Amino acid sequence: MEINVSQQLKAHIGYVREYDIEDYIDILGIGVDIQVEGKVKLTKTNRGLLVQGTLRAKIPVECSRCLKVFEFPLIIKLEEEYFPVIDVNSGTPLETPDEIGIFTIDEHHILDLNEAIRQNALLAVPMKPLCRADCAGLCQTCGKDLNKGQCDCEISDIDPRWAKLVNLASAGKKVKKHKKEME
Ligand SMILES: [Zn+2]
Ligand SMILES: [Zn+2]
């Protein structure tokens, strides 16, 4: 998504213009263009243009519990200042702030939103996505998707740290039973 902002750069500080965004962008950097929709607002600042907006995209992610791939509704928040590399009136080069990763408006007054969208999209991707809040996940023993029903290995599902206790408990029962028989 590229916007020619020569008019906004000539405008007074505080000048606002809004844009509807509907574009296909490879926001995950995996060679797949994903539809991105929303609104952005460009506000003239004393140094350049402030880009603010909220965009939506549906991205394919793997559920961290059941490993099913599902569409996650991503909300991408943008708030970035863009700095022009040349003065729009005189055409003379401008110093841009000496910071890593700043966004610039090129010498043709083109503001390219894609990189900002990509970076903020990656921040919005959840670390441990869930296909639904109560996803039951997979059985650790047989790998069955427990959302589709229980498997037959509940007993062996016991954490190995508890297994000893379980053995002791059942041994205890046997001892008691044995005692009763003795009486
Ligand atoms: Zn799941
Ligand atoms: Zn199982």
Side-chain angles (χ1 to χ4, degrees), residues 63-68 130-132 135-137 147:
C63 174
S64 61
R65 284 193 199 147
C66 72
L67 311 182
K68 187 176 80 181
L130 291 177
C131 63
R132 49 177 225 236
C135 171
N147 295 308

Side-chain angles (χ1 to χ4, degrees), residues 71-86:
E71 282 198 327
F72 181 83
L74 201 65
I75 294 171
I76 307 160
K77 298 252 181 215
L78 289 182
E79 181 150 353
E80 305 287 355
E81 194 170 10
Y82 277 70
F83 302 94
V85 297
I86 65 164

Side-chain angles (χ1 to χ4, degrees), residues 2 33 44 57 69 92 102 106 134-135 140 165:
E2 293 183 343
D33 289 341
K44 178 78 169 64
V69 174
T92 50
I102 65 151
D106 75 8
D134 60 346
C135 171
Q140 305 232 344
L165 285 176

Side-chain angles (χ1 to χ4, degrees), residues 3 5 9 47-49 51 80-86 94-99 101-116:
I3 305 172
V5 292
L9 288 173
R47 304 189 295 178
L49 291 171
V51 176
E80 305 287 355
E81 194 170 10
Y82 277 70
F83 302 94
V85 297
I86 65 164
L94 291 175
E95 288 252 331
T96 51
D98 194 15
E99 293 162 34
I102 65 151
F103 295 104
T104 54
I105 300 163
D106 75 8
E107 61 279 14
H108 306 293
H109 318 302
I110 299 296
L111 184 154
D112 186 351
L113 278 178
N114 287 13
E115 187 53 31

Side-chain angles (χ1 to χ4, degrees), residues 161-176:
R161 285 168 297 179
W162 298 117
K164 265 188 189 168
L165 285 176
V166 172
N167 287 340
L168 283 176
S170 49
K173 267 182 210 155
K174 266 181 212 154
V175 171
K176 263 188 199 159

